[in-house]
Structure formats: structure tokens, C-alpha cells
Amino acid sequence: MTGQMNRKELLNHINQVSFAVDEVKLYLDTHPCDQEALVYFHEYSRKRNEALNEYARAYGPLPIDTASESCTERWN
């Protein structure tokens, strides 16, 4: 997990790991057999999901896929 980050630090962390995920996805488009890049992709995807879930628990969801059922009921 990301530990005891405040809201701004957590958003910065999410931006950093999201950037890393996006960049390695682009690389993997042209180098699909690079096992090291694939491991990197899985590691940073996991870190991104953990950070997004931590943010959603503390401050509310950023993307819709981290919203809980109780959150989505507000939009009905």
C-alpha cells in the first residue's frame, strides 16, 4: 500500500504510477514478448489499483470502477 500519504501526495502517486502504466502499455504494443516489461506492467497496474482503491476509501472514487454500490446509488 501507499502508507500514510495525504490527499495531494496520494493523487501525485496515482498520477505517477498511471503514467508508468500508460507508457509501458505503449511499449508493449511494439514489444509484446518483452517479459521484463510485462512484469513491470503487472507490478505498476497493481500499485495503481491499490492507490485508486485507497483514494476511493478515503476521499471518494476517481474512476467509476472504484465506486462502491452505495456511491452509485446517489446517481439514481
Side-chain angles (χ1 to χ4, degrees):
M1 279 270 161
T2 54
Q4 298 297 322
M5 293 184 185
N6 65 36
R7 187 176 192 163
K8 183 177 179 180
E9 291 169 335
L10 187 53
L11 279 172
N12 283 336
H13 176 71
I14 289 168
N15 285 334
Q16 290 169 356
V17 294
S18 294
F19 179 83
V21 168
D22 290 343
E23 288 297 305
V24 76
K25 282 192 302 186
L26 292 172
Y27 175 81
L28 284 166
D29 283 344
T30 57
H31 301 81
C33 296
D34 187 331
Q35 290 301 308
E36 189 175 330
L38 195 55
V39 168
Y40 182 91
F41 168 76
H42 288 296
E43 177 185 351
Y44 276 80
S45 291
R46 180 190 53 77
K47 288 180 180 185
R48 181 180 183 275
N49 289 333
E50 286 177 356
L52 286 170
N53 287 328
E54 182 176 334
Y55 189 94
R57 283 190 300 277
Y59 307 108
L62 288 173
I64 191 67
D65 58 337
T66 58
S68 66
E69 278 296 316
S70 62
C71 279
T72 59
E73 289 174 11
R74 288 186 287 179
W75 298 317
N76 288 335

